[in-house]
Amino acid sequence: MSAKLGLDMELHKLGLLAPAGYFVGLHIRFASPLISFQTYDQAWLDHYTAQAYALRDPTIAWGFSVTGASRWSEFTIPDTFGILKEARDFGLRFGLSVACGPISSRTIASFARAEREFSDDEIERISQIVRRLHEITEPPESLTKAQIDALRCVAMGDRHAAAAAKLGISESAFKARLNSARQKLLARTTAEAIQRAKDYKVL
């Protein structure tokens, strides 16, 4: 199974376990995740962004101070700005946060339900999935020179045929290099692969 397929399968499982949505920030470095996924309602996301809650979110503060899992109702960290109370008004009535990984490459994820608290079994299952996601999205130490050259050509605006000619290879070989780079970077598109390679500082 490819890493990308494994990633998609794990995210699908999270969607079933957290029907009111989730946010997963993988390998947070310099205050920003290298990869993130979210399924919260757009109204909440718009409100959260407009209020700049990321800077004050107790789930984020908790995630940088604790390794493990906790229901939001069991947080000991203060919610000074009432963010979790506001989240309830948007249907995120019961929540769970999970944090793992070293502080230099932290993964923090939060999940919500509208009708009840997460059970102990669900918390364990979600925690295992988050840990697997953290592992399979570990940034690659490097790409091959061929992969970097292919991504760089596209980043500079070359079309496939022109890029292949520039590199002295067939167009099918060029596409194969792009495909292998996307797989290594767990990217769905070449544009996403280019951005991720830049984020990982391998391009």
Side-chain angles (χ1 to χ4, degrees), residues 58 61-62 65-66 70-80 84:
W62 176 89
S65 59
V66 177
S70 176
R71 296 179 182 91
W72 294 349
S73 61
E74 297 169 352
F75 274 2
T76 56
I77 195 164
D79 181 14
T80 308
L84 296 181

Side-chain angles (χ1 to χ4, degrees), residues 25-34 59-68 99-108 134 138:
L26 296 159
H27 298 283
I28 299 171
R29 301 176 178 187
F30 308 107
S32 179
L34 292 179
T59 68
I60 302 298
W62 176 89
F64 277 112
S65 59
V66 177
T67 295
C100 66
I103 203 68
S104 59
S105 188
R106 194 72 157 170
T107 286
I108 300 174
H134 180 84
E138 186 71 38

